[in-house]
Amino acid sequence: MYFGGDYNPEQWPEEVWLEDVRLMRESGVNLVSLGIFAWGLLEPAEGRYDFGWLDRVMDLLHDNGIQVDLATPTSSPPSWFRRSHPASRLVSQDGQVVSGGSRHGFCPSSPEYAMAAARITEQLAQRYAGHPAVVMWHVHNEYGWANASCYCDASQEHFRRWLRDRYGTLEALNAAWGTLFWGLTYRAWDEIEVPRNPPPGLIPALALDFQRFGVDAHIALFRAERDIIKRHSAKPVTTNFMIANCKPMDYWKWAAEVDVVSNDHYLQAENPGNHIELAMCADLTRSLAGGRPWLLMEHSTGAVNWQPRNLAKRPGEMRRNSLAHVARGSDSVLFFQWRASRFGAEKFHSAMVPHAGTDSDLWREVVALGQEVAPLAVEGRVEAEVAVVWDWESWWALELPWRPSSDLEFRERIETYYAALWREHVTVDFVHPSHDLSRYKLVVAPSSYVLSQEAGKNLQRYVESGGHLLVSFFSGIVDGNDTVHPGSHPGALREVLGLSVEEFHPLGARAEISLEGGQPATTWSERVRPAGALAVRNFASGPDAGHPALTRHDLGRGSAWYVATAPADVRPLLRDLLDHAGVERPRGLPDDLEVVRRGRHTFLINHGDGPVTVASTTVPAGGVEILLED
Ligand code: GAL
């Protein structure tokens, strides 16, 4: 188990380094990520290098038994680079050059940036591949954090080349994009523009392809650095993702590129359900890693500095957060950052060593956590019987302008269903709609607006061979070009659900309707026409009163269920479905108790205010306690 975090010794005089390694040993730190933002120090002028200080830090760490996840510093190009390569500067969507003075200010399509990044990567890889402290490579930092898309002329040229590769001919592009609409047919490649200051009613398929292009542009930069490193070193290469919080990056694509998936997660301080959001991100990270262990590359010991109100963590909260990540598959507890900075934009961000120093509650909590976590031998996989469908393309498309309702939000439906499953103590995996689903008893698709016909067939095969599927409204509506499937909605799911939808009836902002039996619902209503499915519950009020709100379609050896609205509480429905699908789970436990099994270990994490007693008959766990209660 790795314990440690980002280490930025360049911000401190060398005497402090000696104290750092002493405190690292005291707290059980065994891994630090080094050099993430040090490009300007390692290459103070173009082609002139200064590795002396890094050599000394690396040796010092190694002498003290601390391993290094060595970074390429390419997320923060030096200030001289911007001046000598003005064409590499990031241009924002309004067409303005983004000024310097922070990290990430480069254009991902800039050949000059790519060359400079390759050069410093080559230098680092050559110099340190054989250093005994290096156990892993940390390429860049959070690709796309502030420069997911650039709108400069070079990006526009690059986008056009990317489109040529994707479509081959303009005829194919015009067909895919539906440019007949408003007579926008493109007759030459250079008629296509990046969506700088986009006018209202921009071609939706253009917007989606521009997102895909952004992902590919960043992945190409990552590959270039990774492949340089691989020529020198056999150590694993990673880059830290921002899963669930970075809408522009399609991490299903990214996950295929790294040796080990790693993620940064920051708690939403003011969200009372933030521990559930954490669990969701951890489950998604594990799923991207294909169920294999992954690394929590960054989280915080306490407050961050970039939320509106940066609430400190409560006593024990850092420990609960850390163990929840471990329970859900992380082989590390790593933080941003080791020592709180005195200057710069993040000086009010918590760290492992706070400004207050070591005579502080926070430091004592860090030491206790390190002593507990570093020696942990938690192995094995987290097994889930339930899966939730997550696809970045649905996220992008669902939230484009001009949808039936601005209340349609990708994460909102997923988080609603996920939270209900979490409170039922059910562990879930996340899946892409094209994945093999056969190992799951229940699959929930709360926000699958984009769904290809093939993916719809995949879900159908899953049901026919015995799976149980729950779909929420406004799913299966369009293909990957945001084109409505032929015929009535939901074109990709009509057959498996055994119904069609004749008309959408989104509700007003404060409108509430009810289902038969009295449950309230909001946001959405629609006219469902069963064609094989049975109405399980009708709407009792609203525009579709007397028509189905919940349906069930028995198909082959399984069943497909459909919810045509946003019930105020999805838990009763999920309970019925979990029972129907035969999903085992502990019963009678408090809602706030997190229960996860990883390999031979069962984690019980109490997020409530009072103590909880759990009978060993409720959670079948023999063996010994290895982490004690507070
Ligand atoms: C991360 C980033 C770190 C630091 C941290 C602060 O997104 O990778 O470098 O800025 O946020 O919370």
Side-chain angles (χ1 to χ4, degrees):
M1 194 63 60
Y2 288 125
F3 184 72
D6 286 13
Y7 182 35
N8 299 306
E10 64 275 19
Q11 297 177 12
W12 298 92
E14 297 204 11
E15 312 82 85
V16 178
W17 302 357
L18 298 175
E19 190 192 35
D20 284 337
V21 287
R22 182 175 62 74
L23 294 176
M24 284 179 190
R25 290 171 64 139
E26 183 183 328
S27 57
V29 167
N30 55 20
L31 182 78
V32 294
S33 299
L34 195 61
I36 299 180
F37 301 111
W39 191 352
L41 297 166
L42 296 172
E43 190 178 356
E46 187 142 19
R48 187 156 67 71
Y49 300 100
D50 174 11
F51 291 110
W53 66 273
L54 189 56
D55 290 350
R56 292 195 293 284
V57 187
M58 297 274 291
D59 292 347
L60 180 67
L61 289 164
H62 180 64
D63 292 346
N64 284 274
I66 297 152
Q67 299 171 303
V68 172
D69 173 24
L70 188 60
T72 65
T74 52
S75 66
S76 190
S79 298
W80 58 255
F81 177 78
R82 289 178 60 79
R83 192 172 44 101
S84 44
H85 300 280
S88 71
R89 296 176 187 183
L90 182 69
V91 169
S92 57
Q93 192 167 18
D94 59 6
Q96 301 294 317
V97 173
V98 175
S99 70
S102 184
R103 56 188 172 182
H104 278 259
F106 64 88
C107 162
S109 295
S110 156
E112 292 165 67
Y113 167 80
M115 272 168 56
R119 222 176 35 226
I120 185 71
T121 302
E122 179 76 40
Q123 291 285 330
L124 280 160
Q126 240 178 42
R127 188 173 189 96
Y128 296 109
H131 196 287
V134 175
V135 290
M136 203 184 334
W137 295 90
H138 182 298
V139 169
H140 203 85
N141 192 68
E142 296 185 338
Y143 276 96
W145 175 76
N147 63 346
S149 301
C150 177
Y151 298 82
C152 71
D153 292 343
S155 297
Q156 184 157 278
E157 286 304 322
H158 190 192
F159 182 45
R160 290 169 183 162
R161 289 197 302 277
W162 183 91
L163 289 168
R164 269 179 197 257
D165 285 349
R166 183 172 171 84
Y167 293 105
T169 64
L170 277 171
E171 289 68 36
L173 176 139
N174 281 311
W177 283 13
T179 51
L180 288 176
F181 192 78
W182 286 339
L184 295 172
T185 307
Y186 291 104
R187 315 272 177 204
W189 292 98
D190 60 8
E191 290 170 6
I192 300 169
E193 295 172 68
V194 292
R196 220 178 260 154
N197 264 327
L202 179 74
I203 300 167
L206 184 163
L208 289 181
D209 270 343
F210 192 61
Q211 296 274 7
R212 294 186 182 107
F213 159 70
V215 175
D216 287 355
H218 284 280
I219 287 182
L221 290 174
F222 169 77
R223 282 184 183 156
E225 292 195 29
R226 178 198 63 196
D227 295 350
I228 291 169
I229 293 169
K230 295 258 177 212
R231 285 203 291 277
H232 297 277
S233 166
K235 298 282 157 54
V237 178
T238 190
T239 182
N240 46 341
F241 295 167
M242 298 168 278
I243 285 165
N245 295 311
C246 188
K247 183 176 170 185
M249 288 293 130
D250 180 344
Y251 287 116
W252 288 120
K253 271 193 164 181
W254 270 99
E257 303 290 334
V258 294
D259 294 328
V260 52
V261 166
S262 65
N263 192 43
D264 299 345
H265 182 266
Y266 289 94
L267 215 54
Q268 301 169 340
E270 290 183 83
N271 171 4
N274 56 17
H275 52 287
I276 302 181
E277 199 270 350
L278 181 157
M280 183 183 88
C281 293
D283 285 343
L284 182 55
T285 310
R286 182 189 65 252
S287 305
L288 289 162
R292 286 178 293 280
W294 52 277
L295 299 178
L296 174 65
M297 190 58 82
E298 293 178 21
H299 73 153
S300 68
T301 57
V304 299
N305 64 307
W306 43 264
Q307 295 182 7
R309 283 159 296 274
N310 296 295
L311 276 52
K313 290 192 179 178
R314 293 164 289 150
E317 196 169 7
M318 172 179 71
R319 182 185 188 226
R320 290 194 292 279
N321 294 164
S322 302
L323 293 176
H325 283 293
V326 172
R328 291 174 191 275
S330 174
D331 270 1
S332 68
V333 173
L334 301 167
F335 293 93
F336 175 85
Q337 60 173 330
W338 164 250
R339 186 183 277 278
S341 301
R342 286 191 49 227
F343 43 77
E346 297 185 318
K347 56 187 169 296
F348 296 124
H349 194 292
S350 61
M352 299 172 81
V353 182
H355 290 295
T358 52
D359 185 13
S360 61
D361 289 346
L362 186 81
W363 173 250
R364 284 183 277 276
E365 275 199 54
V366 166
V367 173
L369 182 68
Q371 286 171 355
E372 180 172 70
V373 161
L376 263 190
V378 181
E379 289 156 356
R381 293 167 80 108
V382 177
E383 300 293 342
E385 295 186 331
V386 177
V388 173
V389 178
W390 180 295
D391 181 7
W392 271 268
E393 300 213 343
S394 272
W395 192 353
W396 302 336
L398 183 64
E399 296 180 2
L400 288 173
W402 295 13
R403 310 285 108 178
S405 166
S406 61
D407 294 330
L408 293 166
E409 283 175 48
F410 173 80
R411 278 190 61 153
E412 185 277 331
R413 276 298 84 191
I414 293 199
E415 287 187 37
T416 298
Y417 280 89
Y418 181 88
L421 289 162
W422 189 96
R423 294 196 170 97
E424 286 296 312
H425 314 292
V426 172
T427 302
V428 310
D429 282 345
F430 284 89
V431 289
H432 187 272
S434 63
H435 284 172
D436 172 13
L437 305 170
S438 54
R439 87 176 79 131
Y440 301 107
K441 291 182 173 170
L442 175 66
V443 171
V444 186
S447 242
S448 293
Y449 166 66
V450 173
L451 210 59
S452 66
Q453 290 288 358
E454 302 78 68
K457 288 272 169 296
N458 185 44
L459 294 170
Q460 182 165 341
R461 278 192 301 275
Y462 163 71
V463 171
E464 284 166 348
S465 44
H468 301 283
L469 172 70
L470 172 64
V471 175
S472 171
F473 61 90
F474 211 55
S475 290
I477 305 293
V478 296
D479 65 15
N481 296 316
D482 203 38
T483 293
V484 172
H485 288 295
S488 51
H489 302 306
L493 292 169
R494 270 195 315 260
E495 233 175 289
V496 61
L497 294 174
L499 54 79
S500 64
V501 172
E502 188 178 314
E503 197 67 62
F504 302 139
H505 294 133
L507 303 176
R510 275 166 295 279
E512 190 177 284
I513 55 175
S514 59
L515 310 190
E516 281 171 3
Q519 300 101 316
T522 59
T523 313
W524 193 262
S525 178
E526 61 186 13
R527 186 62 51 87
V528 173
R529 299 289 186 196
L534 300 172
V536 177
R537 183 145 305 139
N538 286 340
F539 287 104
S541 66
D544 299 290
H547 293 274
L550 171 66
T551 63
R552 164 186 179 162
H553 187 215
D554 292 325
L555 186 67
R557 294 193 287 123
S559 63
W561 302 65
Y562 184 63
V563 196
T565 186
D569 183 6
V570 296
R571 241 172 120 179
L573 166 65
L574 276 172
R575 273 195 204 115
D576 288 351
L577 272 168
L578 290 165
D579 290 343
H580 179 73
V583 176
E584 299 293 338
R585 60 211 191 268
R587 316 260 179 163
L589 295 176
D591 282 6
D592 284 335
L593 187 71
E594 181 165 7
V595 182
V596 196
R597 201 174 163 89
R598 177 174 176 194
R600 295 183 302 123
H601 296 95
T602 302
F603 289 76
L604 301 176
I605 304 171
N606 179 12
H607 296 275
D609 292 328
V612 172
T613 306
V614 180
S616 59
T617 46
T618 319
V619 176
V624 292
E625 291 209 41
I626 53 172
L627 299 169
L628 299 179
E629 56 190 279
D630 273 331

